[in-house]
Amino acid sequence: MIRSSLHEMWVLSMKATLTALTVAATMFASSASAADPADLQTLEDTGNCYTPSAADPPNCDLSGANLTNANLAGADLAGAVLFVADLTGANLCVANLDYVSRESVNLKGVI
């Protein structure tokens, strides 16, 4: 009887813990993967992620960006942050990817 009660309390405790962890992970994931709209516009307008006059290219934040099938051939993405970005099927031929942060990037079918 006591063993059964302890087991039920443990199960309830685990459910509460897992629920809290799921909510926290969801909140973190939604806030951590938002591409900078200005950086996306610069990439779209110029095909590059930096201002040529800058001595060092700043980090272009493309976190979570949907760049599926994007033609980025020859693009200068040096220093870009691509955390959780989707580049499925993108053309990255001759693109400069020096110092790119590419954790959790979907590169399936990239050329």
Side-chain angles (χ1 to χ4, degrees), residues 4-78:
S4 176
S5 294
L6 288 175
H7 178 72
E8 287 176 22
M9 287 179 17
W10 180 81
V11 168
L12 288 174
S13 173
M14 290 306 294
K15 284 182 179 180
T17 301
L18 290 174
T19 300
L21 287 173
T22 301
V23 169
T26 302
M27 289 172 58
F28 174 75
S30 64
S31 67
S33 60
D36 185 331
D39 289 340
L40 280 171
Q41 191 63 51
T42 299
L43 179 61
E44 185 178 329
D45 293 346
T46 67
N48 297 309
C49 259
Y50 75 97
T51 307
S53 62
D56 294 318
N59 289 335
C60 179
D61 187 3
L62 301 175
S63 299
N66 182 358
L67 299 171
T68 302
N69 297 319
N71 183 6
L72 299 172
D76 194 340
L77 301 171

